[in-house]
Amino acid sequence: MNKILYNIIWLIFDKFFILFLQFVVGVKIANYYGADLYGKYSYAISLVAFSEIFFELMNPRVIKKFYTEDSYNNIVYNISFFRNIMAFLLFFVPIILKLFFTIDNLLFYMLLLICFDNILNSTTFGIENFFEYKLESKRIVVSNNIVKTISYILQYICMILNMEILIIPITRCFGSIIRVFILKHQYKVNYLKNSKELKKKFDKNLILKIIDESKFLWISFVAFLIYTQIDKIMINYYLGEKEVGIYTVGVQLSSILAILIGPIQNSVFPKMLELYRKDYKKYYNFYLLSNTVITQLYLVLTVLSIITLKYLFRYVYSDEYLPAMNVYNILAFSVFVKAIGALQTSHVTIKNIVKKSFYKTLVGLILNIILNNILIPKYGINGAALATLLTQFFVLIFLDFFIKEYREHAFIQLKSFNSFYLLKMFKNRRV
């Protein structure tokens, strides 16, 4: 348990450090370039985000089930190789689009640079996944913080020198190059001391096996990615790039609230997997305790964040971003819903009951597109946020009560609202 908490603390530190840099530099950049240019950059990121459809053919949680003391290096190499090939092929997509469709030059160059950054990030994916499995996220955090510090300093200098917004993805790529060298060095020093382990072997069967076990999670992820990114695409279609920039600020603020979810998911998963293999009762109690802690924590954080933002927003962002406050107020509850269901993907992966996740997410995708089409023209960017909240609630909470295999974690999520139950669990653990 101490190792889990230690790992969570390092991951949270990473999030808060990057958050600090975003407020010191990132906000200045958004204010400096304005909602129009910043909206174009955000739109480019949303388009490239769909590349995750190909990367997620090998689910990170499924990969962790294959690690052994003897085979970890082979797995690290093969999953990194697979993602690298995907990223390399996707790099040519903007070029092909430029040849056949009308894309302005600034957007085109942004897309190319962000796709190149994808190639750099995929190079170390296997190493990062393995470090997460070993609960050694400290290694990832150190490299991230070094790189982000360098990147944001360069961005700030370039902003002072009145350079174009294209410098942001350029510095992002430069930072990723440094990150590749740091992570590869750490992995080599700590896990490849024996020269024999340096041998790399392409294992098609391993890749296909992981892909096969990931297929339902992948289909679910594809649908989930579409309905979490489609809002910016539809905002751009109905309202324009400026509104995308304003909406992005609201989304970024909501990602700050969600800062704890990822670290908890990554750190708790190995423990859940261990307990499931040993004692299901202990696994169930650990799952219930963890989910209850997350739910109660986010219930408080959601309310406090809305109150705090009301007084601090004007001191951080320029007035043209003021509509982002209402976007955040809605998305904050969406984050709360996400926190309630934070561990359900880990649960269905461990129990190998992921098949019906596809149907859940497919329903969510269709619902989200319908809601966006109805609510964006009527309520603008607030409508997009509302569509996200309603979809998240329906998919992550409501629908599970009607699926037999998922009813167990649906009731766990329901029990997680009981504050007295949390106190009782802690009391029993002390006894």
Side-chain angles (χ1 to χ4, degrees), residues 274-307:
E274 177 190 338
L275 290 175
Y276 180 79
R277 289 169 174 171
K278 292 180 179 179
D279 187 326
Y280 191 80
K281 185 177 179 180
K282 289 182 179 179
Y283 166 81
Y284 179 91
N285 289 334
F286 178 76
Y287 180 14
L288 177 57
L289 174 62
S290 300
N291 211 82
T292 305
V293 170
I294 297 170
T295 301
Q296 296 298 317
L297 175 63
Y298 265 91
L299 180 61
V300 176
L301 289 178
T302 299
V303 176
L304 287 179
S305 69
I306 292 173
I307 296 171

Side-chain angles (χ1 to χ4, degrees), residues 21-33:
L21 291 175
Q22 284 179 341
F23 268 92
V24 173
V25 182
V27 173
K28 291 182 182 294
I29 290 172
N31 290 336
Y32 175 77
Y33 288 109

Side-chain angles (χ1 to χ4, degrees), residues 37-47 232 244-245 248 252:
L37 281 176
Y38 192 67
K40 186 183 288 289
Y41 176 60
S42 301
Y43 180 60
I45 291 177
S46 295
L47 291 175
K232 293 177 186 176
V244 174
T248 299
Q252 288 176 340

Side-chain angles (χ1 to χ4, degrees), residues 211-351:
I211 290 175
D212 180 65
E213 194 165 330
S214 303
K215 60 181 181 290
F216 291 112
L217 285 173
W218 175 74
I219 296 171
S220 298
F221 175 82
V222 170
F224 178 79
L225 178 68
I226 292 172
Y227 84 66
T228 54
Q229 293 297 327
I230 198 69
D231 48 4
K232 293 177 186 176
I233 308 298
M234 296 180 73
I235 288 171
N236 183 70
Y237 175 77
Y238 282 113
L239 306 174
E241 291 176 346
K242 181 177 180 179
E243 281 70 22
V244 174
I246 296 171
Y247 183 77
T248 299
V249 169
V251 173
Q252 288 176 340
L253 289 170
S254 70
S255 69
I256 295 170
L257 178 61
I259 206 168
L260 303 177
I261 297 177
I264 293 172
Q265 286 174 324
N266 291 330
S267 300
V268 169
F269 180 78
K271 184 64 177 180
M272 290 176 69
L273 183 60
E274 177 190 338
L275 290 175
Y276 180 79
R277 289 169 174 171
K278 292 180 179 179
D279 187 326
Y280 191 80
K281 185 177 179 180
K282 289 182 179 179
Y283 166 81
Y284 179 91
N285 289 334
F286 178 76
Y287 180 14
L288 177 57
L289 174 62
S290 300
N291 211 82
T292 305
V293 170
I294 297 170
T295 301
Q296 296 298 317
L297 175 63
Y298 265 91
L299 180 61
V300 176
L301 289 178
T302 299
V303 176
L304 287 179
S305 69
I306 292 173
I307 296 171
T308 303
L309 185 67
K310 180 180 178 181
Y311 295 99
L312 296 182
F313 189 89
R314 290 179 180 272
Y315 295 102
V316 180
Y317 288 97
S318 59
D319 288 347
E320 68 174 330
Y321 290 109
L322 281 176
M325 286 182 62
N326 289 330
V327 171
Y328 174 81
N329 292 340
I330 299 170
L331 290 180
F333 287 100
S334 177
V335 172
F336 175 57
V337 171
K338 187 178 178 181
I340 296 168
L343 300 180
Q344 67 173 243
T345 301
S346 298
H347 175 69
V348 299
T349 302
I350 291 171
K351 294 193 72 173

Side-chain angles (χ1 to χ4, degrees), residues 9 50 53 55 65 94 109 114 123-124 132-133 139 169 172 199 254 258 260 264 266 272 311 320 331 343 365 384 420:
I9 289 170
F50 286 100
I53 289 173
F55 297 149
K65 294 170 67 175
Y109 292 130
I114 298 170
T123 302
T124 56
E132 287 178 1
Y133 170 77
R139 303 184 189 280
R172 179 171 164 170
K199 295 180 180 179
S254 70
L260 303 177
I264 293 172
N266 291 330
M272 290 176 69
Y311 295 99
E320 68 174 330
L331 290 180
L343 300 180
L365 170 62
F420 296 104

Side-chain angles (χ1 to χ4, degrees), residues 371-397:
L371 288 173
N372 272 308
N373 271 297
I374 295 172
L375 298 176
I376 291 177
K378 191 172 183 179
Y379 300 108
I381 55 178
N382 292 336
L386 187 59
T388 299
L389 171 59
L390 294 174
T391 305
Q392 294 274 43
F393 175 80
F394 186 79
V395 173
L396 292 176
I397 297 179

